[in-house]
Amino acid sequence: MRRLVIDTDAGVDDAQAMLLAFGHKDAEIVAFTTVNGNVDVNKTTANVLKVLDLVRKDVPVYRGCEKPLIVEPHHASYVHGEDGLGDCGIPASIRQPEKKHAVQALIDLANENPGQLSLVTIGPLTNLAVALQLDPDLPKKYADLTIMGGAIYGKGNTNITAEFNIFVDPEAARVVFERWSMIRVLSWETTMAYVFTKSDLERFFALNTLKSKFFHDTSQIILNFVRNRMNMEILFAPDGLAVAAAIDPSLIIKKELHYMSVETGGIQSRGFTYVDWWDSSGKPANAEIILEVDQKRFVQMMEDGLR
Ligand code: BDR
Ligand code: CA
């Protein structure tokens, strides 16, 4: 049984990743922490509560940082909708988040369950960077850390070189990469290679469950975006893949261990996650960079989550 804490800026693909996790027999979700990202933190928190309504689970949700460490928020409503869930009318929940701040929760959960929890971040790294400031020993207290973030070859999706989660708060990302001893990284380029195809989507939609209807309705905005921009009928699922790899690392087929960190200067280089591919810096590897996964099993995990 993998016990997870998920830090999220939910987000259409974040919500789908939550469904995948809830549908997995070997995953227990201990808590959600929320952060500014795709939309503001009040909306990302509200969205996690909406998904809990859908799956009828009581998992504590801790509201986190509303701004990046230094810069102003940069949102992605053009992809996720104004509400962050595709503007398809998912009703608000009457559930409330916990009173405790997400940063304090990340620290307390680790102290209460030393070495037992897997942390997965599928949004900007602001909460985790602040938690590391308060408790530099945090990396020793989590079993592992998986991040959806970074563009390992510089093929970004926000400025030219940066992936969104890193771009939104590059300083926070740098703190995390420089202080966490080993991070499993699901980069934008890797996750782009494992999308849901048209036939996967048709199968998901045909399940005809409340969860598959939610998946269908929230996805339309991104499907339109991809159709218009790329003339393709596919759905990106970066956060789902990160959560899947955290739950079941045997999904990973190919990985490399290297030193990796974050460029915070420049305009097009701000938020670029550089990788020491040739290990020439002499710095110890801090990243397990995932390069290939078992696509069939990933799609099956998503389908299980929609049943
Ligand atoms: C990441 O950015 C967000 O828009 C998605 O939810 C995902 O976490 C992909 O770059
Ligand atoms: Ca996300």
Side-chain angles (χ1 to χ4, degrees), residues 186-199:
L186 277 297
S187 69
W188 175 245
E189 295 98 328
T190 297
T191 60
M192 278 247 286
Y194 299 97
V195 297
F196 298 134
T197 62
K198 190 163 188 261
S199 72

Side-chain angles (χ1 to χ4, degrees), residues 9 11 13-14 38 76 80 122-123 148 157 163-165 188 238-239:
D9 63 337
D13 61 320
D14 304 68
N38 288 320
H80 296 265
I122 52 176
M148 191 285 124
N157 62 5
E163 180 279 331
F164 180 82
N165 289 337
W188 175 245
D239 293 349

Side-chain angles (χ1 to χ4, degrees), residues 50-167:
K50 291 177 195 175
V51 178
L52 292 181
D53 279 354
L54 176 71
V55 295
R56 299 174 184 216
K57 300 268 187 197
D58 285 318
V59 174
V61 180
Y62 300 92
R63 181 185 179 280
C65 295
E66 57 186 48
K67 284 191 177 195
L69 296 185
I70 295 177
V71 288
E72 287 302 307
H74 169 94
H75 295 144
S77 348
Y78 53 96
V79 183
H80 296 265
E82 286 303 322
D83 71 352
L85 281 185
D87 292 335
C88 61
I90 305 294
S93 175
I94 57 164
R95 293 168 194 258
Q96 294 294 320
E98 305 295 314
K99 298 248 176 317
K100 193 187 280 186
H101 194 280
V103 170
Q104 193 59 52
L106 286 171
I107 295 169
D108 291 350
L109 285 161
N111 283 326
E112 288 156 13
N113 307 274
Q116 292 170 40
L117 303 178
S118 291
L119 179 58
V120 193
T121 67
I122 52 176
L125 290 160
T126 318
N127 288 337
L128 194 48
V130 180
L132 277 168
Q133 282 294 105
L134 294 177
D135 183 356
D137 286 333
L138 206 57
K140 293 188 203 128
K141 299 177 185 175
Y142 276 99
D144 49 23
L145 169 64
T146 303
I147 285 179
M148 191 285 124
I152 51 176
Y153 306 123
K155 297 179 183 174
N157 62 5
T158 309
N159 63 12
I160 289 175
T161 63
E163 180 279 331
F164 180 82
N165 289 337
I166 307 297
F167 177 86

